[in-house]
Amino acid sequence: MTLAIHWFRRDLRLTDNTALNAAVAAREQVVPVYILSTWKGVHRWTGAPRQQFLVDSLTSLSAGLAAAGGRLLIRQGDAVAELEALVAETGADAIYANRDPDPFGRAVETRLFQAAKRLGVELHLLKDAALHERSEVLTGSQTPFRVFTPFSRAWAKLDKPLPGTAVTRLKTPANLRSLPLPTLATWGLEPDGSEILEAGEKAAQARLERFVENAVFSYVEKRDLPAAEGTSRLSQDLRFGLLSIRKIYARLQERSQSLNETQARSLQVYINELCWREFYFQVLWHKPEVLEVEYSEDYRGMPWKNDPAAFERWCAGQTGFPIVDAGMRQLRQTGFMHNRVRMITAMFLTKDMHLDWRMGEQWFMQRLLDGEIASNNGGWQWSSGTGTDAAPYFRIQNPWTQGLRFDAAGEYIKRWVPELKAVPAPRLHQPPSPGMRLVRDYPLPMLDHAQERDIALKKYKLHLESSRSVKTL
Ligand SMILES: Cc1cc2nc3c(=O)[nH]c(=O)nc-3n(C[C@H](O)[C@H](O)[C@H](O)COP(=O)(O)OP(=O)(O)OC[C@H]3O[C@@H](n4cnc5c(N)ncnc54)[C@H](O)[C@@H]3O)c2cc1C
């Protein structure tokens, strides 16, 4: 009886799973395993909402595997050590896994490569999380792109991989040791009352179908309106691999037949968003140091304010800026924040409050169901003007006018900041008269946007000039 291990990582599905399909095709029996991390308590980049989504996804995957005749093993510890132990226990002669795009996953893969060599087993690490990864999209001179638009043009020209089939039958040997499915307590966490989306492959497929059947055609019109729920809500599904990116792309291609101009444009704009995800994957692949320092060398070493009390107010959605507070509270209660509002809140933290983007990056990673190291870092660096944006620091959004432009009726604000329900919409989008609260229980704005904007502009300009003058010395 030939036997392989499939190591589940961020690919928690049976449909169109590259490495799982390869393992099932190559060996008579497959041992599917998920290896839990061992941290307890507070983690810099993880928190209860996303771990709960992981727990729910594993529960659903386990049921799916059982229905196909297999069994999901749960282990905990160092992934390489656990896989080595599993090879010894089962006599497997091959390990299959899908590649991870972030540097932490990559480091484990390097160690696993050495271990597999030592053990004399085959190791198959396959591309799965992206349509195009690593150095597949390069400039004419074979260097990585630094700016999104030319990257997206080159990306669009490449042939896209097609989706594979679903695993419907697999055999796992009996009597292998497994931990029970995890709960939040596995990591020393407690439920925090977040109302999170349904996890699992079926729920993700239903979200995809809902979106491609209709909403994709009004994406352009609605994607910037946080109250409209006009986006796909697939980010956590891509993060955990409940859906394959190939399947999403193929569904969009199917829908691209006989469209009018508006519909075709909407679909194209949506595909462009999927491309942003791969752009940030490749940024992180080529420049893993962005997790520590600014992407643009000119902004490294910039002074940031130290104000823990102000940071707390931002996290709690108590800044006195309704659109900012609505976003921060949506994040706290659901593990999600609309993209437009992510930009508004991130710019507010870095350019109005002058706090370090790394603090916001960390808070988002702890709260977001879709917390994706590459996209989150890219979004934070873009918003703070230190990243890949072609028009960097002087792009400073005004939270009052952003609120008016994208939530004119105040529907989104009132949904997440219920104490403002009775306030007429126009008043939600302008600074209240000095000392006058909008309502008794809602704080006064914690700062004056115009003033802080000027301070930010001076700070960035000064830093930029001094970095450039150092370079020319
Ligand atoms: C400060 C900041 C932090 C962010 N952090 C994350 C994160 O941790 N994880 C994450 O997936 N996205 C992140 N984004 C990007 C974006 O906000 C989310 O992908 C989007 O809101 C998810 O909702 P959706 O699936 O309905 O998006 P849709 O508008 O339906 O987009 C479809 C898909 O395209 C991808 N996508 C869209 N916009 C972006 C983008 N700007 N960058 C990268 N991928 C994108 C996502 O996979 C998304 O699911 C961040 C953006 C900012 C400004």
Side-chain angles (χ1 to χ4, degrees), residues 219-239:
Y219 185 69
V220 164
E221 199 188 311
K222 294 193 180 153
R223 75 187 178 122
D224 268 322
L225 307 176
E229 295 176 3
T231 64
S232 68
R233 292 302 310 268
L234 296 181
S235 48
Q236 65 292 319
D237 305 329
L238 282 164
R239 166 65 186 80

Side-chain angles (χ1 to χ4, degrees), residues 2 10 31 89 149-150 153 206 215 263 278 290 318 415 420 425:
T2 59
R10 45 171 302 154
V31 178
E89 282 167 48
T149 307
R153 280 196 212 106
Q263 290 172 326
E278 304 202 355
V290 293
Q318 293 288 345
R415 192 179 302 157
L420 297 177

Side-chain angles (χ1 to χ4, degrees), residues 211 219 223 231-236 238 270 273-274 276-277 280 336-339 342-343 346 364-365 368 370-373 375-377 379-380 383:
F211 183 69
Y219 185 69
R223 75 187 178 122
T231 64
S232 68
R233 292 302 310 268
L234 296 181
S235 48
Q236 65 292 319
L238 282 164
Y270 182 72
E273 293 305 309
L274 297 176
W276 269 106
R277 175 175 170 269
Y280 286 138
F336 181 79
M337 192 196 297
H338 186 277
N339 180 59
R342 290 189 205 201
M343 291 193 278
F364 271 31
M365 280 309 285
L368 282 171
D370 65 26
E372 175 77 78
I373 290 174
S375 305
N376 192 47
N377 180 271
W380 271 96
S383 305

